[in-house]
């Protein structure tokens, strides 16, 4: 069976009688997926994302020969730079942040296709310049009019740029748009942006990126659930007591006050990464793993989530405290943050998915900055064993089984089970069974951006967010934000280096539960 | 990624029953911490006659990091003079990138002296990891109908050979074909042709018209590619072969097959690729069966 076929290979041909004949030589070949010739245009190319993430990802793809032979990258940004200066800057980024060894024989042919255009976004003149550069590259590099536009730009210029790009669409080749978050700042703006996008591009040409979906461990949620017969029968309200999802960061806002003051934790993490993790954990099995099948199931989960009551949504802001032994400033003391800022750096919520599988099963989620450690986990806590028959063990001493999906760091899965302590009697202790990605599949995990950029070039939207998903996410966020307008909490309400405000713990303690802390 | 040796134990004239307790001791840490985390995805048995010892060591050193396994390396020494088993047992540690933790893998090397090499299956069977697939890498040309080989074959899920190590291709493929139905079979020589086969596949449908294939490269690879084209395209293709250390040129009819881009895979890469497979490779089986019908012609 051909596992992954290259589009460059001729997979089928018409026989003399007009019937399609499959290429018999492809069977059994383990071919890598290689996109068609194309040019990748990065708008916002002078930003950190391009240097730290995008170019190291592209280099890793080149290192593994996953890029098409006819390929070019055009960086577009306001900063004045020559092609050579841009190349040097990106080369330094690859050396500093790349996961693969730097090799001249990989970099040089890749770098030969790098260009830079210095312009205002979405100006007529600038876009003409980009178009002219792309036409030159079509001739020089054979990119055949195929374009991937990567929009790593401020949200306020996306709509104008999309219009400019739409108006300049050539007749030759295909066009795809990758759009970085934030995708709107509420439901109205997201809908408006979708409307403007759809005026010029079809939905299957639009790739809204959420880099969490490119992480191996997030994709492993589907593998764990749907490739193992033992989990899916118990993946429901009958056996699961509750779910805890934590997206914790130990860092602060890292100089991004301008962005963070506008977004806060709810727009930075909750609206996108967090709700995607919920959707991946709770969705029904898709009929196949194609983009629409998967996204249809995820959107059903988002639609089934009911608005949490205000007492079940806690926001917080960190004050001064200690993280990893170092005293760090409070949020309001960060450069660029208003001294009376009411921006939340923490959010915890108790969510419900109202469907047959999950009714009355709480999904507790929390995300925040300056928490004790960087950790993204999904913990599935199963119900306790109903009746422990051991005389020495009280029922409440038996810990319930917990399946933890470690998204980052220490990618893997662990299962907590009760085991007998060796010796007389019947003492039970909780032990961990660990599957560490790095320990078992000892190849380095690809960076999320490698997978996502490659998928976009291949036209595979499975790991990207569809317009209706985005709108459902914003609909939920809007209701929460609307409720927040009615009160003014006392900020800061948690010291840096702790797991958030006490009220977040109360959400669980009211239910007789507690957050996992390790 | 280099392995760090956590400990090893050696013994002469040992019993197989001694091996597991020694491994457990080596995994156990003296500082009171829990035993080393052991990660295995398979048991990897290697049958390594003396002339292949060095090559096998090189391949294995590049492999451990990618496929954590219990490796059971059997060194047959039929002429050793006495009937005994000598052993070296090693626990190796592989660091986890970005973590202070590591995982350990086990290597059990057994020198089967004299008559102890008659029935290797009875030696390997007690040492297999429960419920994990068993891969057998047989170095050199197996005696396919030999009792020792047959018994070992019953134990394993996948047999991996390298027909480039055989002197009697294409005739040997007929013997190899007899075991296809009993264990999944991989051939490193076949995997080595994959890049060229992908390149040839790009010439379809024109390549289906070719009646002659000219290959400059190792005989095994030339025969397997010719057998592949014969079986996939159902054509009566003739092979012209010129010997070379590696696949250098290939022409289908009058059309040169473009040389594939990129570096040739290392022996470790090739073996690692085979260790990812669990099912039968029916395309290979058909190619090997077709290859043994080819009459060699000089290029």
């Amino acid at each position: 069976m051909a596992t992954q076929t290259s589009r460059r290979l001729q997979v089928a041909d018409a026989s003399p009688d007009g019937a399609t004949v499959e290429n018999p030589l492809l069977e059994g070949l383990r071919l890598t997926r290689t996109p068609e010739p194309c040019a990748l245009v990065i708008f916002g190319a002078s930003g950190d994302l391009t240097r730290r993430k995008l170019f190291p990802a592209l280099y890793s793809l080149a290192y593994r020969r996953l890029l098409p032979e006819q390929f070019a990258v055009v960086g577009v940004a306001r900063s004045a730079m020559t092609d050579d200066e841009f190349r040097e800057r990106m080369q330094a980024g690859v050396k500093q942040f790349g996961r693969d060894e730097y090799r001249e024989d990989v970099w040089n042919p890749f770098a030969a296709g790098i260009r830079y255009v210095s312009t205002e976004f979405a100006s007529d003149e600038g876009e003409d310049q980009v178009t002219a550069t792309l036409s030159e590259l079509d001739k020089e590099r054979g990119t055949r009019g195929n374009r991937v536009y990567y929009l790593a730009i401020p949200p306020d210029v996306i709509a104008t740029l999309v219009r400019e790009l739409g108006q300049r669409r050539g007749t030759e080749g295909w066009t795809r748009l990758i759009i970085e978050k934030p995708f709107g700042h509420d439901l109205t703006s997201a809908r408006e942006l979708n409307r403007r996008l759809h005026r010029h591009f079809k939905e299957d040409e639009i790739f809204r990126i959420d880099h969490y979906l490119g992480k191996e461990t997030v994709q492993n949620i589907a593998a764990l659930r749907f490739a193992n017969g033992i989990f899916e029968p118990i993946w429901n309200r009958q056996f699961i007591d509750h779910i805890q999802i934590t997206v914790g960061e130990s860092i602060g806002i890292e100089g991004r006050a301008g962005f963070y003051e506008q977004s806060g934790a709810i727009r930075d993490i909750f609206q996108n990464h967090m709700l995607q993790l919920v959707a991946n954990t709770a969705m029904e099995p898709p009929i196949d793993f194609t983009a629409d099948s998967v996204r249809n199931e995820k959107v059903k989960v988002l639609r089934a989530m009911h608005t949490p009551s205000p007492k079940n949504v806690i926001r917080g802001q960190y004050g001064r405290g200690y993280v990893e032994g170092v005293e760090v400033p409070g949020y309001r003391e960060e450069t660029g943050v208003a001294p009376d800022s009411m921006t939340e750096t923490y959010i915890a919520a108790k969510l419900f998915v109202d469907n047959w599988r999950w009714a009355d099963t709480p999904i507790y989620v929390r995300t925040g900055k300056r928490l004790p450690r960087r950790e993204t986990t999904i913990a599935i806590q199963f119900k306790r064993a109903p009746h422990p028959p051991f005389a020495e063990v009280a029922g409440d001493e038996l810990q319930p089984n917990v399946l933890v999906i470690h998204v980052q760091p220490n990618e893997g899965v662990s299962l907590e089970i009760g085991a007998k302590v060796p010796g007389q009697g019947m003492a039970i202790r909780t032990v961990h069974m660990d599957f560490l990605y790095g320990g078992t599949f000892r190849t380095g995990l690809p960076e999320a951006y490698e997978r996502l950029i490659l998928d976009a070039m291949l036209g595979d939207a499975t790991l990207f967010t569809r317009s209706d998903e985005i709108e459902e996410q914003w609909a939920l966020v809007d209701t929460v934000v609307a409720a927040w307008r009615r009160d003014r909490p006392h900020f800061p309400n948690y010291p840096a280096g702790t797991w958030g405000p006490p009220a977040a713990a109360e959400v669980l303690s009211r239910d007789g539960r507690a957050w996992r802390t390790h | 990624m280099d392995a760090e040796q956590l400990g090893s134990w050696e013994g002469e004239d040992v019993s197989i029953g001694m091996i597991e307790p020694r491994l457990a001791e080596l995994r156990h840490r003296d500082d009171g911490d829990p035993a080393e985390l052991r990660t295995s995805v398979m048991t990897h048995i290697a049958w390594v006659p003396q002339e292949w010892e060095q090559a096998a060591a090189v391949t294995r050193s590049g492999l451990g990091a990618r496929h954590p396994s219990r490796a059971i390396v059997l060194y047959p020494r039929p002429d050793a003079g006495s009937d005994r088993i000598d052993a070296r047992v090693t626990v190796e540690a592989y660091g986890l990138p970005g973590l202070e933790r590591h995982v350990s893998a086990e290597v059990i090397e057994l020198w089967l002296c004299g008559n102890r090499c008659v029935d290797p299956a009875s030696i390997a069977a007690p040492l297999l990891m429960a419920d994990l697939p068993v891969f057998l890498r047989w170095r050199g040309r197996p005696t396919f109908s030999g009792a020792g080989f047959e018994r070992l074959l019953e134990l394993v899920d996948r047999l991996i050979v390298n027909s480039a190590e055989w002197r009697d291709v294409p005739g040997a493929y007929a013997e190899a074909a007899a075991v296809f139905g009993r264990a999944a079979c991989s051939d490193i020589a076949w995997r080595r042709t994959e890049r060229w086969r992908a390149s040839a596949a790009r010439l379809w449908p024109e390549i289906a018209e070719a009646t002659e294939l000219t290959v400059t490269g190792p005989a095994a690879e030339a025969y397997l590619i010719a057998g592949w084209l014969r079986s996939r395209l159902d054509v009566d293709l003739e092979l012209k072969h010129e010997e070379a250390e590696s696949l250098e040129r290939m022409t289908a009819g009058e059309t040169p097959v473009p040389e594939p881009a990129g570096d040739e895979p290392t022996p470790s890469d090739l073996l690692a690729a085979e260790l990812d497979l669990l099912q039968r490779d029916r395309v290979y089986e058909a190619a090997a069966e077709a290859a043994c019908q080819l009459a060699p012609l000089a290029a």
Side-chain angles (χ1 to χ4, degrees):
Chain A
M1 187 184 74
T3 47
Q4 293 176 326
T5 53
S6 160
R7 283 156 189 256
R8 284 189 305 178
L9 285 176
Q10 192 173 5
V11 294
D13 196 26
S15 66
D17 61 3
T20 300
V21 182
E22 292 291 323
N23 181 346
L25 299 178
L26 290 180
E27 188 175 338
L29 285 175
R30 299 191 298 180
L31 300 168
T32 51
R33 302 188 306 165
T34 313
E36 290 179 283
C38 62
L40 172 68
V41 186
I42 303 171
F43 289 95
S46 59
D48 252 10
L49 178 77
T50 309
R51 190 173 60 94
R52 296 170 78 108
K53 295 288 183 189
L54 302 186
F55 264 85
L58 288 168
Y59 174 81
S60 288
L61 292 174
Y63 189 91
R64 288 167 181 76
R65 299 184 176 278
L66 295 173
L67 292 177
E69 282 164 30
Q70 295 96 350
F71 181 67
V73 189
V74 182
V76 184
R78 292 190 187 106
S79 315
M81 256 188 287
T82 64
D83 285 349
D84 283 340
E85 285 166 344
F86 182 65
R87 278 188 207 113
E88 279 167 26
R89 200 171 134 83
M90 295 305 119
Q91 186 185 31
V94 165
K95 285 178 179 173
Q96 188 178 352
F97 302 110
R99 72 180 177 108
D100 296 307
E101 58 168 337
Y102 176 80
R103 278 171 44 177
E104 292 281 340
D105 63 322
V106 175
W107 173 258
N108 288 343
F110 169 64
I114 297 176
R115 303 283 186 278
Y116 182 77
V117 176
S118 167
T119 178
E120 285 292 318
F121 297 123
S123 77
D124 272 348
E125 192 188 335
E127 288 319 309
D128 286 344
Q129 216 180 323
V130 172
T131 307
T133 305
L134 288 168
S135 298
E136 278 169 32
L137 287 167
D138 282 343
K139 287 179 201 142
E140 280 175 33
R141 308 279 300 178
T143 44
R144 298 189 199 168
N146 296 328
R147 314 278 186 251
V148 179
Y149 294 111
Y150 198 116
L151 276 52
I153 53 175
D156 54 333
V157 288
I158 287 182
T160 318
L161 178 58
V162 164
R163 190 191 64 220
E164 294 284 340
L165 295 175
Q167 288 171 349
R168 285 172 171 76
R169 282 186 79 146
T171 50
E172 200 188 338
W174 43 254
T175 301
R176 289 172 194 141
L177 287 182
I178 304 176
I179 303 176
E180 267 289 337
K181 68 166 192 165
F183 193 89
H185 59 273
D186 57 14
L187 178 59
T188 307
S189 59
R191 276 188 181 149
E192 176 60 15
L193 188 48
N194 277 333
R195 197 179 60 77
R196 288 182 180 221
L197 282 166
H198 290 147
R199 202 179 284 166
H200 300 283
F201 298 94
K202 291 183 295 205
E203 179 62 28
D204 64 8
E205 294 174 316
I206 303 165
F207 295 75
R208 298 171 193 83
I209 204 164
D210 181 335
H211 75 268
Y212 258 54
L213 298 182
K215 288 180 181 290
E216 287 288 327
T217 33
V218 174
Q219 294 165 53
N220 191 42
I221 298 171
L224 186 78
R225 291 185 55 195
F226 308 132
N228 295 289
I230 61 168
F231 292 121
E232 206 46 30
I234 57 171
W235 206 266
N236 56 51
R237 63 191 302 274
Q238 309 281 354
F239 296 92
I240 291 176
D241 180 73
H242 72 278
I243 297 171
Q244 289 187 22
I245 303 181
T246 299
V247 180
E249 295 177 285
S250 58
I251 56 170
I253 54 170
E254 306 291 292
R256 295 191 307 146
F259 162 75
Y260 205 82
E261 278 283 89
Q262 297 300 314
S263 66
I266 197 165
R267 292 185 175 89
D268 186 32
I269 302 287
F270 182 88
Q271 177 266 329
N272 37 72
H273 306 328
M274 183 63 85
L275 291 180
Q276 283 294 333
L277 291 179
V278 173
N280 274 279
T281 306
M283 72 178 181
E284 295 297 316
I287 54 166
D288 54 35
F289 217 65
T290 56
D292 274 336
S293 296
V294 173
R295 298 190 296 183
N296 285 345
E297 297 307 332
K298 284 197 297 175
V299 87
K300 281 184 207 168
V301 173
L302 295 166
R303 281 186 188 139
M305 288 171 72
H306 73 218
T307 307
S309 73
K311 71 171 185 177
N312 284 332
V313 184
I314 306 299
R315 54 182 157 156
Q317 187 192 78
Y318 63 84
R320 182 169 282 272
Y322 286 85
V323 176
E324 295 172 7
V326 177
E327 188 174 21
V328 296
Y331 178 71
R332 289 176 175 177
E333 300 166 75
E334 302 268 15
T335 309
V337 172
D340 58 349
S341 170
M342 290 304 294
T343 301
E344 80 289 348
T345 60
Y346 178 96
I347 176 172
K350 177 181 171 183
L351 304 173
F352 286 98
V353 176
D354 288 338
N355 62 17
W356 190 272
R357 184 189 286 258
W358 295 114
D360 301 325
T361 309
I363 302 176
Y364 301 102
V365 300
R366 61 178 167 173
T367 180
K369 290 207 171 285
R370 288 291 189 214
L371 299 188
R373 64 170 178 267
R374 175 177 171 248
E375 170 191 314
T376 301
T377 50
I378 301 164
I380 314 291
Q381 181 152 328
F382 292 92
K383 291 183 175 171
R384 288 177 192 279
H387 170 68
F390 318 115
E392 299 95 325
V393 184
D396 54 3
E397 283 176 13
L398 273 186
Q399 294 302 310
N401 300 116
V402 184
L403 180 76
V404 185
I405 299 166
H406 302 265
V407 177
Q408 66 181 14
N410 304 349
E411 294 89 342
V413 179
S414 64
L415 180 64
E416 292 175 14
I417 56 172
K420 181 183 176 300
V421 178
Q424 302 299 314
M426 185 55 86
I428 306 288
R429 205 174 92 183
T430 299
V431 297
H432 286 258
M433 282 171 35
D434 270 346
F435 148 64
L436 285 174
Y437 250 96
T440 305
F441 303 113
R442 299 199 46 84
T443 53
L445 295 184
E447 286 290 323
Y449 280 100
E450 289 172 39
R451 173 69 193 259
L452 294 172
I453 292 171
L454 187 65
D455 277 6
M457 287 185 196
L458 289 162
D460 180 352
T462 309
L463 302 178
F464 294 84
T465 315
R466 204 168 55 187
S467 59
D468 50 353
E469 279 180 90
I470 288 276
E471 291 180 12
E472 291 296 338
Q473 290 169 356
W474 278 120
L476 184 73
V477 166
D478 276 6
T479 56
V480 172
V481 171
W484 281 356
R485 288 200 192 100
R486 289 185 220 125
D487 67 358
R488 189 177 171 85
H490 178 70
F491 279 171
N493 58 355
Y494 71 97
T498 65
W499 282 109
E506 286 163 20
V507 172
L508 275 80
S509 63
R510 282 198 297 268
D511 299 340
R513 302 182 176 109
W515 288 108
R516 294 166 46 80
T517 52
H518 58 273
Chain B
M1 204 176 305
D2 289 334
E4 178 198 347
Q5 214 178 80
L6 291 180
S8 74
W9 169 85
E10 290 183 30
E12 285 187 9
D13 200 7
V14 303
S15 69
I16 295 304
M18 295 165 74
I19 303 292
E20 287 284 6
R22 295 287 179 261
L23 279 170
E25 281 172 20
L26 291 172
R27 280 201 310 271
H28 195 78
R29 293 163 56 149
D30 295 332
D31 53 12
D33 279 353
E36 293 295 339
L37 180 67
R38 180 177 57 169
T39 300
S40 301
V41 294
M42 72 180 103
T43 303
H44 172 200
I45 304 173
W47 176 264
V48 185
Q50 203 152 9
E51 64 268 34
W52 297 105
E53 206 167 318
Q54 200 176 352
V58 171
T59 304
R60 209 187 64 73
S61 70
L63 186 71
R66 274 178 283 186
H67 285 85
S69 62
R70 168 175 285 188
I72 305 170
V73 188
L74 305 175
Y75 302 107
R77 297 288 182 269
D79 305 322
S82 61
D83 299 338
R84 66 174 200 282
I85 298 172
D86 297 339
R88 178 167 59 212
V89 177
T90 312
V91 174
E92 294 176 344
Y94 298 95
L96 300 178
L99 294 177
E100 286 177 7
R101 298 176 73 177
H102 58 250
V103 294
S104 64
E106 301 159 336
V107 184
I108 302 165
E109 294 173 281
L110 301 172
W111 285 263
L112 313 183
C113 304
N115 280 335
R116 293 288 181 272
C117 61
V118 171
D119 188 17
S122 64
I123 291 164
L127 298 171
L128 301 183
M129 301 281 285
D131 301 321
L132 289 178
V134 182
F135 290 76
L136 167 63
R137 168 71 172 102
W138 189 285
R139 284 276 175 177
R141 163 79 150 84
T143 310
F144 286 102
S145 54
F149 175 81
E150 291 258 328
R151 287 253 299 131
L152 208 44
L153 200 64
E154 285 167 16
L155 211 61
V156 306
D157 297 285
R158 190 169 201 90
L159 166 69
I160 303 169
V161 295
N162 183 357
S163 59
E165 295 169 353
W166 307 348
R167 294 197 184 94
D168 55 345
V169 292
Y173 291 126
E175 283 185 59
V179 306
F180 287 161
R182 297 169 49 206
C185 190
S186 290
D187 187 340
I188 301 281
W190 169 249
R191 185 59 59 203
R192 199 179 281 283
T193 64
E194 185 162 34
R195 299 159 66 243
W196 283 90
R197 285 187 282 125
S199 200
R202 290 187 173 88
L203 302 178
W204 187 81
E206 292 76 19
I207 197 171
E209 309 297 320
T211 54
E212 185 181 281
L213 178 75
T214 308
V215 178
T216 305
E221 293 171 39
Y223 281 111
L224 286 171
I225 291 175
W228 170 64
L229 288 173
R230 281 176 75 121
S231 60
R232 298 309 303 161
L233 301 174
D234 198 18
V235 292
D236 196 14
L237 190 84
E238 284 191 344
L239 170 68
K240 288 185 174 176
H241 170 235
E242 185 182 345
E243 187 64 30
E245 257 188 39
S246 61
L247 254 175
E248 290 173 1
R249 269 187 306 281
M250 199 165 122
T251 308
E254 299 294 313
T255 312
V257 176
E259 188 177 347
D263 303 329
E264 268 209 43
T266 66
S268 301
D269 294 336
L270 292 164
L271 182 55
E274 294 309 314
L275 295 176
D276 284 332
L277 295 175
L278 292 171
Q279 293 133 342
R280 287 174 69 173
D281 183 349
R282 293 186 189 273
V283 177
Y284 164 68
E285 291 175 6
E289 281 167 347
C292 63
Q293 295 159 15
L294 281 161
L297 295 171

